[in-house]
Amino acid sequence: ALFGDNGGISVITANGVFSNNSCNIYGVNYTIILTNGAQLTCTYNLGPDFALGIGTNWGSNASNTMIVAGGSSSGTTKLVTSRTSGTTMYVGSSPNGVGPGLANVLIIDGGGVPGSALSTNVNSGGIAIAPNAGSKDCGIKVVNGGVLNHSGGGITVGAAGTTNCFLIVEGTGYVAAAFSLMGDGAYAIVRNGGGTFNGGGSGLQIGSSTATNCSLLIDGGRVNHYGNYAFTINGTGSRVTITNGGLLYANGGNRNIGESATNCSVLVVGGGSAPSVFNPAGGTLNVGYSGGQSNVLWIDGAGVSGSAILTNCSVSVGNSGANNNSMIITNGGRFYYDSAGSYVGNAAADN
């Protein structure tokens, strides 16, 4: 099934099933709204089930929006895919598109009724946001009680040569999937009163050897990363900020800030009524790793004792030839370490 237009809006209020076929949306300033309890089911195991802004026919800068809207009394509005492996959903062009995508956005909006808008994959396919070089400002927003459930697969935001692609979870929005930020300026935001992100099945990666200035902001939200996979921040200038009572729980694998990278940072900021917490779940947190330079871990209570906390871990600052890295605890910040011991200047100098 193909949806394409040069400007315009289509509204889907009834159930639709595209069996053994994909659902492709492309155009210029084109919007599709799925609402009032409608269900759109796409099944196409020979390729992606769903593609928003595939970049064909309409030129390289096609800009499109798909909205899954809940909040009504007609039941849950659903976008359902079912690919058993590989990538089941593309937002912002796809590998068989002729060019990059511009500002292609999937919005899952519960309308203030948690769970009333849902995008899900019933098997293990993943999501790729802006997989083509040149794509920019493409992403997914899960807001106001909307739900994105791709727990069997992962979400990759950006790729080499993409810019400012995103994943935003807010207002009791909920995402179940692991994610990686892989393009220049790629960012994830979890904020505003309980936007919760549960990642499992693969690593939580902020930045890469080909990406710079990637970021994760946890502003009053929660990110739970679990499983036997790594938590890494790399790519020059990549950063994680936890503030306003936010929580980052990172379980499994290595926990590295600045892995073969420079100027990476984790900042935990307190000052509010609820503490901001970084919990590496009993592992070792490496600040500067495998040659990483000038990386920093900063725990700042903003004058309120115990309102910024690093807990349940040991810390190694400057490891495996990594220099000029630092850990700063200030203004009432707290570090509660486990019995494994912590090191500054372990196998490296000037930390």
Side-chain angles (χ1 to χ4, degrees):
L2 301 176
F3 298 85
D5 204 349
N6 189 358
I9 298 174
S10 294
V11 179
I12 302 174
T13 59
N15 292 346
V17 177
F18 299 101
S19 180
N20 299 318
N21 207 340
S22 59
C23 177
N24 296 324
I25 300 169
Y26 55 89
V28 178
N29 298 321
Y30 183 47
T31 298
I32 285 188
I33 302 173
L34 186 66
T35 188
N36 290 329
Q39 178 171 322
L40 181 63
T41 302
C42 308
T43 62
Y44 185 58
N45 273 318
L46 297 179
D49 295 323
F50 177 89
L52 173 63
I54 61 175
T56 59
N57 299 345
W58 297 93
S60 62
N61 284 325
S63 176
N64 304 278
T65 303
M66 173 75 178
I67 301 173
V68 182
S72 76
S73 59
S74 301
T76 302
T77 304
K78 298 179 182 179
L79 172 61
V80 181
T81 58
S82 64
R83 193 175 186 191
T84 56
S85 62
T87 302
T88 187
M89 179 184 292
Y90 288 94
V91 177
S93 194
S94 66
N96 58 352
V98 298
L102 170 65
N104 291 282
V105 181
L106 170 63
I107 300 173
I108 305 165
D109 188 344
V113 180
S116 64
L118 170 66
S119 174
T120 187
N121 185 58
V122 297
N123 290 304
S124 58
I127 298 174
I129 299 174
N132 285 1
S135 294
K136 58 183 179 180
D137 301 323
C138 298
I140 297 177
K141 296 180 180 180
V142 185
V143 300
N144 299 323
V147 176
L148 175 63
N149 185 354
H150 278 251
S151 57
I155 301 173
T156 301
V157 183
T162 66
T163 55
N164 299 331
C165 297
F166 60 85
L167 174 65
I168 296 174
V169 187
E170 63 183 353
T172 67
Y174 178 85
V175 173
F179 72 98
S180 299
L181 306 179
M182 304 296 286
D184 288 345
Y187 61 95
I189 298 175
V190 184
R191 66 184 174 195
N192 289 355
T196 300
F197 198 111
N198 288 330
S202 62
L204 173 58
Q205 182 170 337
I206 313 298
S208 70
S209 59
T210 60
T212 62
N213 298 314
C214 297
S215 64
L216 167 62
L217 170 63
I218 306 172
D219 184 357
R222 301 168 66 88
V223 172
N224 299 309
H225 167 65
Y226 55 88
N228 297 317
Y229 297 89
F231 165 77
T232 59
I233 303 171
N234 54 18
T236 299
S238 295
R239 63 195 180 276
V240 172
T241 304
I242 307 166
T243 188
N244 290 325
L247 168 68
L248 172 57
Y249 179 85
N251 178 41
N254 297 323
R255 292 88 160 169
N256 299 330
I257 302 169
E259 181 175 343
S260 303
T262 61
N263 297 319
C264 296
S265 64
V266 169
L267 176 62
V268 184
V269 181
S273 58
S276 302
V277 179
F278 183 14
N279 183 349
T284 297
L285 180 63
N286 296 298
V287 183
Y289 188 80
S290 188
Q293 309 289 319
S294 302
N295 303 289
V296 63
L297 170 63
W298 194 303
I299 315 297
D300 188 346
V304 179
S305 180
S307 63
I309 298 172
L310 173 66
T311 188
N312 195 24
C313 69
S314 56
V315 173
S316 179
V317 180
N319 201 349
S320 301
N323 302 318
N324 298 313
N325 302 285
S326 61
M327 176 179 177
I328 300 169
I329 306 171
T330 187
N331 294 327
R334 295 288 184 266
F335 171 37
Y336 301 103
Y337 58 89
D338 68 13
S339 59
S342 295
Y343 303 91
V344 176
N346 185 20
D350 298 322
N351 295 286

